[in-house]
Structure formats: structure tokens, C-alpha cells
Amino acid sequence: MIKTALVTGAASGLGFELSLLLVKDGYNLVLIDIDELKLKKVKLLINNEFKNDVRILVKDLSQPNVARDIFNEVEKLQIDVLINSAGFGLFGNFANTDWERESEMLHLHILTTTHLTKLILPAMISRKSGKILNISSLAAFQPGPLMSMYYASKSYILSFSEAIANELKNTGVTVTALCPGPTKTSFQEVVSENTSDNKISFNMANPSEVALYGYKAMQKGQTVAIPGLINKFLASLHRFVSRSMATKIVRNIQEKNRN
């Protein structure tokens, strides 16, 4: 029986790269993104090379109750893999950033990710088979001045993923949190869309390599996956210095990357 994977944020970046890995492994796909044009291009690209079934859903994942809308459209499908990849970031002092955009980010990273997982998970448990990959970030391991809400939301994704991974032991269902450092994706464009001098350059990773690392970790059932030696060290920074010092270091990195 051909398995089916659902991927959010599939039109670009890690979501796109993970979709390619899935289809190469024979999965049928349900691809979700807000960018209809890019999503159609991804579907065409895949259909030109593979015979797998590819369905696309154009959804704004930052809106309330969108997870329920998605679930209603895929409920009759057997979702064997769920990849929550969609996300974006905002740069700036918390007091000055736009609340409407921040609210959308929190809905996307926290509520949609959690709700979609909650809706799809029970069927996986019943079948005693399933894999979930949540895209967290290196940002999850410490506070992030100048991107405070992004770091906090990614910390939630990591904590949530680790907790339910523990709950799901011996069920046949695994949950993996992929925690990459800066990766050359459209995320950088979104973070930097209102400024010309705040694009991250330090420790920049290739999205295809990060996706492959996360994909392999998901297939193995690994709970936390941190690609790159530098990122592994930075994730454990709090073990070597105080939290206040770690926060200062993160701010210093943020400022230097944007000068």
C-alpha cells in the first residue's frame, strides 16, 4: 500500500525539500501552503518526474481553525507522515514589532501545528504506525533578543514534540523535532522583508542537506535532530554559561548578522 504524507509550508524551503525526499521514497503527497502559484509549480515539477499522487491545498496556516479545515479535506485519507514545516520570523524589539503579524506567527507555529497534530495523531495510534516531523529551530534552546517571539514559539514546538514523543513510546508512532540553525530558505526573505541589513549570514546551511538530515532522523524515530557541529554546540551553550550570558551572546550574534 502506498503511503501518504502531508507537508505544510511545502511551496519552498525545507517543506519543499522534504516533499522531494518523500516522493522519491514513493509517498503520495498532500502539500499545503499559502502561495498558490509556487504550490502549483511544485506539483508540476513532481508530476513531471514521478507518478505519485500529489494534492495541493492553498491555506493560510496563520488563521484560526485552519487545522480543522485541512483535516476535513484529508480525513478520508490515511496520513502516514505529518510534517509541520510552515513558519516565518520577525526581527525587531518586541515593543516596536507589529502585533498582528506576531499573532499570525503564534497561530502558525503553535496553534496550527498543535491542532493539526492532535487531529491526525489518533488515527496513527489506532494503526500503530505513523511519523510526525515538527520543524523547530536552534532558536528553541535559548531566549532570542530581537526575535523574542520567534525564539519562544520554536521553544514551544521543541518542548511539545519531546513531550508527546515520550507519551507515544511503544505505540508505533514517533515524533521528531528538527532544530536547524540558519538555513538559506525564503524564511530569510520574510524576516528581512522590511529591512535591507538584517539578513543572517553566520553558519548558513543548505536546505537540501538540512532536510535530508531531518528526514533520516524522522525515519529512525529520533526525537531531537540538530544538524551541524556548530549548532549542536550552540544548543548546549546554557550548560557552559549562565542563561543571562547565553542571552547576551545570542543578541550579539543577531546584531552582527544584521550589520
Side-chain angles (χ1 to χ4, degrees), residues 44-258:
L44 181 61
L45 183 152
I46 292 174
N47 285 341
N48 283 340
E49 189 172 352
F50 301 93
K51 294 182 179 180
N52 310 56
D53 181 58
V54 180
R55 306 186 187 194
I56 60 173
L57 298 177
V58 180
K59 300 288 184 181
D60 184 350
L61 296 162
S62 68
Q63 297 304 304
N65 300 315
V66 67
R68 173 61 69 179
D69 293 339
I70 292 169
F71 183 72
N72 289 342
E73 295 194 44
V74 304
E75 190 172 6
K76 294 182 180 179
L77 299 176
Q78 178 176 306
I79 303 300
D80 301 284
V81 172
L82 169 63
I83 297 183
N84 290 302
S85 180
F88 66 89
L90 293 170
F91 178 82
N93 286 301
F94 172 72
N96 301 324
T97 45
D98 178 64
W99 169 249
E100 294 303 320
R101 193 62 174 149
E102 287 174 330
S103 177
E104 290 175 349
M105 182 178 67
L106 293 178
H107 268 94
L108 171 53
H109 291 183
I110 297 176
L111 294 180
T112 299
T113 294
T114 307
H115 194 192
L116 192 56
T117 301
K118 192 173 189 69
L119 291 168
I120 290 176
L121 182 58
M124 289 183 171
I125 296 173
S126 295
R127 294 192 306 269
K128 298 181 180 180
S129 175
K131 296 183 182 299
I132 298 171
L133 177 63
N134 293 327
I135 308 302
S136 182
S137 170
L138 183 63
F141 294 93
Q142 58 272 312
L146 304 181
M147 289 185 72
S148 58
M149 296 187 70
Y150 173 80
Y151 275 60
S153 67
K154 289 298 184 177
S155 182
Y156 169 87
I157 293 173
L158 174 60
S159 177
F160 167 65
S161 299
E162 289 184 290
I164 63 172
N166 176 271
E167 292 177 0
L168 292 167
K169 283 185 176 180
N170 302 317
T171 66
V173 182
T174 62
V175 180
T176 301
L178 175 59
C179 302
T183 307
K184 192 173 180 59
T185 67
S186 58
F187 170 85
Q188 304 303 331
E189 298 171 9
V190 174
V191 172
S192 307
E193 62 185 358
N194 296 318
T195 59
S196 61
D197 62 350
N198 69 348
K199 293 191 176 182
I200 300 170
S201 58
F202 172 71
N203 192 31
M204 186 66 67
N206 182 295
S208 61
E209 294 175 356
V210 171
L212 181 59
Y213 186 93
Y215 186 76
K216 288 180 177 178
M218 177 190 74
Q219 295 292 10
K220 292 176 183 176
Q222 186 176 333
T223 302
V224 179
I226 307 171
L229 292 176
I230 293 176
N231 293 331
K232 286 181 172 64
F233 169 75
L234 291 174
S236 62
L237 192 61
H238 62 279
R239 298 180 183 178
F240 306 102
V241 299
S242 67
R243 286 187 64 82
S244 62
M245 179 57 69
T247 304
K248 289 178 182 178
I249 291 172
V250 172
R251 174 160 189 164
N252 187 47
I253 292 172
Q254 295 273 60
E255 290 176 335
K256 284 184 176 181
N257 283 331
R258 292 166 171 81

Side-chain angles (χ1 to χ4, degrees), residues 18-29:
L18 287 161
S19 298
L20 292 182
L21 293 170
L22 286 159
V23 78
K24 288 176 183 177
D25 266 358
Y27 286 85
N28 289 332
L29 300 176

